[in-house]
Amino acid sequence: MADHRNSNSKTGKASGATSAYAINLDNFSKRLKTLYSHWSGHNDDLWGASEVLAVATPPPSEDLRYLKSSALNVWLVGYEFPDTIMVFMKKQIHFLCSQKKASLLEVVKNSAKEVVGAEVIMHVKGKNDDGTALMDSIFRAVRAQSKLDGHDTPVFGHIAREAPEGNLLETWDEKLKNANFQLSDITNGFSDLFAVKDNAEITNVKKAAYLTSSVMKHFVVPKLEKVIDEEKKVSHSSLMDDTEKVILEPAKVKVKLKAENVDICYPPIFQSGGEFDLKPTASSNDENLYYDSTSVIICAIGSRYNSYCSNVARTFLIDANGMQSKAYEVLLKAHDAAINALKPGNKAGAAYQAALSIVEKDAPELAANLTKSAGTGIGLEFRESGLSLNGKNDRVLKAGMVFNVSLGFQNLLTETKNPKTQKFSALLADTVIVRETSPEVVTSLSSKAVKDVAYSFNEDDDEEEEERPKVKAEANGAEALSSKATLRSVNQEMSKEELRRQHQAELARQKNEETARRLAGGGSGMADNRGSLKLSGDLIAYKNVNDLPPPRDLMIQVDQKNEAILLPIYGNMVPFHVATVKSVSSQQDTNRTCYIRIIFNIPGTPFTPHDTNTLKFQGSIYMKEVSFRSKDPRHISEVVQLIKTLRRQVASRESEKAERATLVTQEKLQLAGAKFKPIRLSDLWIRPPFGGRGRKLTGTLEAHTNGFRYSTSRPDERVDIMFGNVKHAFFQPAEKEMITLLHFHLHNHIMVGNKKTKDVQFYIEVMDVVQTLGGGKRSAYDPDEIEEEQRERDRKNKISMDFQNFVNRVNDLWGQPQFKALDLEFDQPLRELGFHGVPHKASAFIVPTSSCLVELIETPFVVITLSEIEIVNLERVGLGQKNFDMTIVFKDFKRDVLRIDSIPSTSLDGIKEWLDTTDLKYYESRLNLNWRPILKTITDDPEKFIEDGGWEFLNMEASDSDSENSQESDQGYEPSDVQSDSVSEEEADDSESLVESEDDEEEDSEEDSEEDEGKTWEELEREASNADREKGDESDSEEERKRRKMKAFGKARAPDKRNPGGSLPKRAKLRIHFHC
């Protein structure tokens, strides 16, 4: 609480050591003139026809309070003068105060005389003097002035709404009432006088607003995220105390304002758990912060700089339901409407009417719960009287007015099982300056966008996801995940497929929820349910030793749940948070021995930022790097990939926004100076190439201070690529390819010659693409042939090493603090996960990386960011085709889908495994879909799409099991009742040929398929068991083949439970079992 301090930070010092302060005479002169001119121009309507203005300031108080008398002191002379009476007359100004205050005010005498022609008279009160005699002298001067003006009874203006405090003011009030004056209230005059701020006042308001929004963004939001992420129990009152301390020490949030000039407007307000009060007089209770699903947290803070106030309030949604999301979206829209209505010439009531009209249009059922005002004027007082933004205020707005635009919904009800979340409120507040053109929101640093205040944690889902890798590890033993087909038993394969199916079902549920939130405006749409942000200063992998996973073998392990890697050191598994890893690499020597090298972030090395851990443990000893040797290259490769992927995920999650702005201004390239030579790579070709008819030339790529420059010997052939415009960077060595390349995928298009492109590539041909024809075949032992091959190998290795050195040095450059926010690092495609396909017109080899799916050899290039993918649909699957197609649907439904055609069916299982391990939801369909009308239907009516189950309309397995009690037989493979028998036989032959190719038993397969034609699954099962009993003396391999054959036919000929009438059944399982 702030009750230990006076509400004004400058009170005590002004009344104390006079040498500490000096009155700004320019401000005093200008504002005294403004006061007198305003008094003269609006005396009848605002100042009560007063001849005298009396302002009595009470003594200091420990309570937070806002008084017109204190405001006038600060506005006129820069400081609050407690226990002081100021009386303004046409020709005289009287000050009744102590000796120290009088000596400080002495300097204004000449200025007052020059500006308004008024003589300043000091009435110095002694310590034991009650001031009665001094008051009588002031009254005599008032009566004398009134008689000169021809009035019998002076009209004495005073601030009637301020009750007298202290002996001096009580004596003054009593004498004033008994002095036979006509008293008039001048509150409205001061309200109008303070309403329009000058430039110095606007500057103070802006500084206060910057502090307020900085505390909200850089302290309150991270604090709440940390509390929720770590599931701590923290009371509202303790959050209030912590926030107040930060406001009073601006350096804690890196705001360069002097602490002595800063104060709070009111004790910070934190509310949750169903108990909400939207008034500024609300307080933070001692209940713990409540952040379970569908809970709402309201936070409001206000700070003052040089006594000028600012305010901001935000509402945070935790796993919001549809009702809460809609309420917040409507409130956000109404709040913006109220702000936009604050224009010169408009009435103050127009702001509330604009907000109310939005609510009545978009959510009329919420109108009754809308606050009755859209805020108040703000400045020296937190709530300036006469400037309330309610529907009845006809006050005309002027440029320079400042408002606290505060709007909310009070006590809304929503259907939840938890009584603490059934009632909720929402509040938004910003400090806004009225400008000639458009309102200026000076607290916009603290975002109120839905994507920045809506959080999705889904604790139960995360626990299920984290348990899944353990089950998978048990099912597959010590084998690592791999895209290569390995021989396993049918039971093992079924277990793996079942685990993948379960994971995909969970991903489907999460994807539908995420899509629903995005379409309804209740989520960012780019979230990946990884939880809240973790601060770089809070790198805790395990809170205690009991949280470590049980050790299996002394092998490197990656714990994705806790974002940790466990390294075997001296016989123990030692955990390291993945954020402490700077880089990880592996290499293999000639003896097929693999080495993995992990380098950690440590203080004292170049380009290492000083985070809170470094400062906290300054005397500690840090491990710089660690290396391990292994005979298992596959395990090393898997560990390196897992660590890199996990590092990228953590870095992505910690970024302040899920996406950078779509438009990146192309800044000017800053060339490297003499001290820092640019990183250079020579003899490179560029794609797309420069135009022109001249001979193409190679060029040099240089990395400068803030970007790359590629140039040839021709002066007009030059390309600059800014680091800030690079979205993805790739390094692909020549493995089974003719070129080694660097590829940059950009945020914004740039011009290469006369071509507009988002992809720029630099490459070297590692061997001659053209070979000399003619002559006989040379011997493999020909010395010239051997020497030529050796030269090619040496050249390839040199090029690869040059590229690798360039990449490593640029990665080090990108590791500097100024580029950390860009999150740049060269990514390397993983060829072992690649597959052939046709993304455009030509067949190409498409390869995943840790964050993208790319094809960088054939043009046009393919670069797909995985985080931008909504779902993947595998089409033409299950019809016995040799190929299938992949359709990628993006989160931006206005973007066309990307189709990759003619992917060999042998790659199907590997692609499924890769999609599943990267948490991408995929579906399978038998036909190609027309996606443009589908996406248009979704965007036109998102509510119906959500009600119909979202993406589950693509789920073949769900559609195959909707109903039970089906009588469908194998004859259902006929497309229609009118089709000839010959067509049915041909299709049966097709099925036979599929089984033949699988089992390599042509004759047996033909006999079985012919005699099984038209039989149901139950009949096949009975015959299979009879055959097993009759042929019990056959070899195990023969029985195994028969059993697999029966399973293949059983799966393929399973009756369609949804179509008992004989329509075309679905054969979803047929394709899967031919690739076991």
Side-chain angles (χ1 to χ4, degrees), residues 95-100 102-103 122-126 129 134:
F95 292 107
L96 195 162
C97 57
S98 65
Q99 177 62 54
K100 289 183 178 180
S103 60
M122 295 292 176
H123 303 271
V124 179
K125 184 180 78 72
D129 186 5
L134 301 175

Side-chain angles (χ1 to χ4, degrees), residues 51 89-91 140-149:
E51 300 174 54
M89 300 161 58
K90 299 297 183 183
K91 299 297 182 181
R140 284 194 297 271
V142 170
R143 288 190 178 95
Q145 180 68 48
S146 181
K147 285 182 180 180
L148 289 176
D149 293 338

Side-chain angles (χ1 to χ4, degrees), residues 647-686:
R647 281 184 69 240
R648 187 172 294 277
Q649 289 175 352
V650 171
S652 175
R653 190 194 61 198
E654 286 184 345
S655 51
E656 291 179 2
K657 294 183 179 180
E659 288 184 326
R660 295 191 203 96
T662 54
L663 296 177
V664 178
T665 304
Q666 191 81 339
E667 56 186 320
K668 188 175 181 181
L669 183 70
Q670 299 176 14
L671 298 179
K675 294 183 179 179
F676 173 72
K677 293 183 180 180
I679 307 168
R680 183 175 284 118
L681 195 59
S682 304
D683 299 325
L684 299 178
W685 300 97
I686 185 173

